[in-house]
Amino acid sequence: MSVRILVTGGNSGIGLALCKQLAARGCRVFMGTRSKERGAAALSSIADALGADVAARIEPIQLDVADDASVQAAAASLRSSNVVLYALVNNAGIGLNSGPGHVETLLNTNFVGPKRCSEAFLDVIDPDAGRIVNVSSGSASMWLRGQSAEIKQIFTSADTSWELLAATVQRESGSASMGGYGLSKAGLTAYTIQQAKKYPNLVCTSLSPGFIQTKMTAGFGARLTPEQGTVSLLKCLFEDVVSGYYYGSDGLRSPLTVTRDP
């Protein structure tokens, strides 16, 4: 049986590059996409680039990580088909080009979205060998390293509760740099530490893909291709990694206050 992996935000950017690589490896891929049209277009592009056989291993699934009903419907769809996932990749996100005044939307997508998906899909992830991979960012470290010792403790301790973390993220959101993007990803990395403690049977990691050329980073000087942004993703999916840890774009372990994007 093929390894089955769900990638949120899989129809463009790093998510699309990952879906291509996973399908080329022989995995069965569920491509999370906010609309059927975007999913169909992405699938067509994969068929053109890699052939119909590779594209046939990918199934678009309508999934908006910012919407409870959408996430629950997607999970119910997999459940009804008796799908058992090897891994959930929480890749969907918005950020650098989301515009001013959208911090609540950004936090709902980047910070709460992965929690929403992880909890909804938990019972369809392999309980013995399953993994959850959260796509964070070097911006998380850039934000956290300038914070007080108290905030650093909140964002790096396995004993921090979700309630305290969420309240701290909300409190800091009004003054956070980059429109709250780094804060949202720091919150996601902190949540990963909580996941590792809460789900000891799973391997839960967060990572930076690097500064990658995507629609989200357009105009900010990113130089790496989406394909180059999957190094740490593939490591966290298939190699020996430590649950709760954060990995740099080169796939090496990185302290949460150090940006590792070579």
Side-chain angles (χ1 to χ4, degrees):
M1 181 182 295
S2 298
V3 170
R4 298 180 178 186
I5 298 174
L6 168 61
V7 181
T8 70
N11 62 282
S12 64
I14 297 168
L16 177 59
L18 180 63
C19 287
K20 289 178 179 178
Q21 292 178 19
L22 293 176
R25 284 174 169 237
C27 298
R28 175 68 172 165
V29 182
F30 296 93
M31 175 195 286
T33 174
R34 282 190 293 172
S35 73
K36 293 180 179 178
E37 292 75 19
R38 291 179 183 180
L43 199 60
S44 178
S45 72
I46 293 172
D48 290 341
L50 301 178
D53 289 347
V54 173
R57 301 189 189 108
I58 301 174
E59 179 181 338
I61 180 170
Q62 196 163 0
L63 173 59
D64 181 351
V65 304
D67 182 80
D68 287 330
S70 175
V71 172
Q72 290 296 332
S77 174
L78 294 189
R79 202 174 293 118
S80 66
S81 299
N82 296 315
V83 170
V84 177
L85 294 173
Y86 162 71
L88 164 65
V89 180
N90 284 310
N91 166 73
I94 57 175
L96 300 178
N97 281 320
S98 57
H102 292 86
V103 66
E104 291 302 324
T105 299
L106 185 148
L107 292 177
N108 185 38
T109 302
N110 294 0
F111 174 54
V112 182
K115 181 175 187 288
R116 182 180 289 120
C117 288
S118 297
E119 293 179 348
F121 290 99
L122 183 64
D123 66 348
V124 296
I125 299 175
D126 186 331
D128 299 316
R131 300 193 179 199
I132 297 176
V133 180
N134 297 317
V135 180
S136 184
S137 168
S139 298
S141 302
M142 292 173 63
W143 178 83
L144 187 59
R145 69 189 180 194
Q147 304 308 307
S148 67
E150 177 189 5
I151 289 181
K152 287 178 181 176
Q153 175 68 16
I154 290 172
F155 278 77
T156 58
S157 173
D159 294 326
T160 299
S161 67
W162 168 260
E163 289 73 21
L164 175 58
L165 176 61
T168 306
V169 168
Q170 191 62 45
R171 186 185 73 215
E172 298 298 318
S173 64
S175 59
S177 58
M178 295 181 286
Y181 179 74
L183 169 64
S184 73
K185 291 298 190 177
L188 174 57
T189 301
Y191 171 59
T192 307
I193 297 172
Q194 296 179 10
Q195 285 181 308
K197 182 177 180 179
K198 187 175 183 180
Y199 310 129
N201 57 313
L202 303 178
V203 176
C204 304
T205 53
S206 64
L207 59 90
S208 170
F211 197 22
I212 308 301
Q213 295 174 337
T214 66
K215 289 182 180 179
M216 190 178 75
T217 61
F220 289 91
R223 297 179 181 275
L224 301 178
T225 67
E227 287 70 25
Q228 290 174 304
T230 64
V231 172
S232 51
L233 273 161
L234 293 172
K235 175 163 184 173
C236 288
L237 278 171
F238 298 114
E239 296 185 29
D240 186 15
V241 290
V242 180
S243 194
Y245 276 19
Y246 166 76
Y247 291 85
S249 63
D250 55 3
L252 298 182
R253 162 72 171 144
S254 179
L256 299 187
T257 53
V258 177
T259 301
R260 187 177 182 86
D261 287 324

